[in-house]
Amino acid sequence: TLTAICDGEMAYDGTIPTDFERLDNILARFGQGKVHTIYEAGTFGLWLHDHLMEKGYDSVVTPPSLVPKIGGKVKTDRRDSKKLASMLASGFLKRVYVLTPEERADRELARTRNQIERHRKRVKNQIKSKLLFYGIRKPKELNDTHWSQAYLRWLEEIEWEYEHLRTSMAYLLDLFRYLDRQYKELNRKVRELAQTEKYKERVRILTSVPGIGIFTAMTILVELQDVERFSKAEEIASFLGLTPGQHSTSDKVRFGHITQCGNVHVRKALVESSWTLIRYDKAMGMKYERLKRQCGSGNKAIVGIARTLAIRIRRLLLDKQEYALGVIG
């Protein structure tokens, strides 16, 4: 559905096929003046934004979470289209920061590596669950945390009472080996990307933070890219959805839930890294304990540490300095 507003009047309102030629023909009706376009970020990616920018239009991609809810509960494409056009004309909507096509490709590599890691872990847990269910214990000399070739051979050589059980385990082991190969190959490619001129220096800075390794650093960098776009420290916390509600009285501080509207990839990476950080940085550890006492929850407290870490990371990258233990803020 396409809606066009010109000088406060509805100039077009209709449904068009999803092809560039039809869209270009309609936009060409509005002459050589400055044409502003908008659509919600989502499943269909940024190929439309790239095309509109190439044609010389000011393309705005807006996050759905920041589009105000107006009107009743009935939601249709036409109503949404009119609402977006009206809000754009009134200057009410924010635009997302759009990475370049090359930066989006870098981000896709890191995201795929992380997806394969999760698939691999899921299959690994399925195999462990099957062993537990059938009461099969590993030999004491084998480590089931980091699966060695010896451990995998033992899994393959287990003598199952029934053929169907042997077949089920064989398929899971084949799947694990396949995902493991893909995972190691993607690790190699992400490491290579981390050594390129674009990322090498920033990776060095981020890996100086306790709890952040190469892959976490790359997740942060490919998702954020230019941190200079965050003019204030609070902006990066908001972008990551790490801004909890806080209700204070004279003797109590109550923290609400974080917004969770920001970049989930970096938010998860920072929360995971923060658990390690509080063990190695005494100042951060003390802050964690203080937050935990205030809000009564270790999980909420670690989110507060992740928020502090996000702000610190922005400053480290801006100043091109490594992490210093014992510094808060």
Side-chain angles (χ1 to χ4, degrees):
T1 300
L2 176 65
T3 301
I5 295 178
C6 185
D7 295 329
E9 300 292 333
M10 190 78 68
Y12 184 90
D13 179 32
T15 301
I16 63 172
T18 55
D19 64 75
F20 290 146
E21 183 177 0
R22 178 64 172 153
L23 177 63
D24 292 342
N25 289 338
I26 292 174
L27 293 178
R29 298 179 186 180
F30 303 105
Q32 298 300 317
K34 189 69 173 177
V35 176
H36 304 271
T37 66
I38 188 168
Y39 70 93
E40 289 185 352
T43 306
F44 297 104
L46 296 166
W47 51 268
L48 177 57
H49 167 81
D50 294 340
H51 175 77
L52 292 169
M53 294 294 287
E54 184 180 344
K55 290 292 183 178
Y57 301 118
D58 174 37
S59 173
V60 175
V61 182
T62 192
S65 60
L66 296 183
V67 177
K69 302 293 188 294
I70 298 177
K73 295 183 179 180
V74 178
K75 180 179 174 66
T76 66
D77 289 342
R78 177 157 290 183
R79 287 189 178 187
D80 287 348
S81 180
K82 289 180 179 179
K83 180 174 70 174
L84 286 174
S86 298
M87 289 183 172
L88 176 64
S90 302
F92 289 150
L93 294 176
K94 295 183 179 181
R95 66 175 72 203
V96 299
Y97 179 83
V98 178
L99 303 179
T100 68
E102 181 181 2
E103 288 171 341
R104 298 202 296 267
D106 293 348
R107 182 181 65 183
E108 204 61 48
L109 179 67
R111 285 186 178 182
T112 301
R113 180 260 172 199
N114 295 339
Q115 288 168 347
I116 294 296
E117 180 183 32
R118 290 193 296 272
H119 292 330
R120 176 180 175 272
K121 185 176 181 179
R122 191 176 300 117
V123 174
K124 194 174 182 179
N125 288 336
Q126 288 173 340
I127 293 172
K128 285 184 174 181
S129 295
K130 195 177 294 294
L131 296 176
L132 181 64
F133 188 82
Y134 287 98
I136 297 176
R137 297 185 178 182
K138 70 174 183 65
K140 293 182 179 180
E141 66 271 15
L142 294 179
N143 187 330
D144 64 351
T145 302
H146 303 289
W147 289 14
S148 63
Q149 290 302 313
Y151 185 83
L152 289 171
R153 282 195 300 273
W154 170 74
L155 289 174
E156 292 172 339
E157 293 169 359
I158 293 175
E159 294 184 4
W160 296 91
E161 183 177 0
Y162 298 101
E163 178 65 17
H164 289 166
L165 291 178
R166 187 195 67 78
T167 300
S168 298
M169 178 60 83
Y171 275 106
L172 284 176
L173 284 172
D174 284 347
L175 180 55
F176 175 79
R177 285 190 180 278
Y178 171 77
L179 290 173
D180 192 52
R181 288 194 299 271
Q182 300 300 311
Y183 175 62
K184 290 174 180 176
E185 179 63 16
L186 284 165
N187 281 348
R188 184 183 65 79
K189 290 183 179 296
V190 173
R191 284 194 185 96
E192 288 177 353
L193 182 62
Q195 289 300 309
T196 60
E197 184 177 354
K198 181 178 179 64
Y199 296 104
K200 185 176 183 179
E201 179 63 15
R202 290 184 293 165
V203 167
R204 182 187 65 79
I205 291 171
L206 290 189
T207 52
S208 69
V209 180
I212 294 183
I214 290 177
F215 300 116
T216 299
M218 286 302 294
T219 293
I220 294 169
L221 292 174
V222 298
E223 297 288 341
L224 296 182
Q225 291 295 348
D226 184 11
V227 295
E228 290 186 1
R229 61 192 172 97
F230 302 109
S231 58
K232 298 178 181 179
E234 290 298 325
E235 290 180 5
I236 192 169
S238 178
F239 174 78
L240 299 177
L242 289 171
T243 306
Q246 179 175 322
H247 311 281
S248 303
T249 61
S250 59
D251 59 346
K252 288 185 178 180
V253 178
R254 292 190 295 112
F255 294 91
H257 296 291
I258 58 176
T259 64
Q260 295 192 359
C261 292
N263 188 294
V264 65
H265 304 281
V266 179
R267 184 169 66 246
K268 286 183 176 180
L270 291 180
V271 169
E272 289 175 3
S273 297
S274 293
W275 287 111
T276 300
L277 180 62
I278 60 175
R279 298 203 308 267
Y280 289 91
D281 188 330
K282 291 183 179 179
M284 283 292 200
M286 292 172 61
K287 179 172 183 176
Y288 167 77
E289 294 298 335
R290 184 171 67 254
L291 291 174
K292 186 178 178 180
R293 288 193 300 271
Q294 290 176 338
C295 65
S297 168
N299 288 334
K300 287 185 179 181
I302 205 66
V303 169
I305 297 299
R307 179 180 176 277
T308 300
L309 179 56
I311 292 172
R312 285 283 302 277
I313 282 174
R314 170 184 173 272
R315 178 45 55 192
L316 294 176
L317 293 173
L318 289 175
D319 294 345
K320 297 180 174 58
Q321 293 182 350
E322 293 188 0
Y323 187 87
L325 297 175
V327 178
I328 297 293

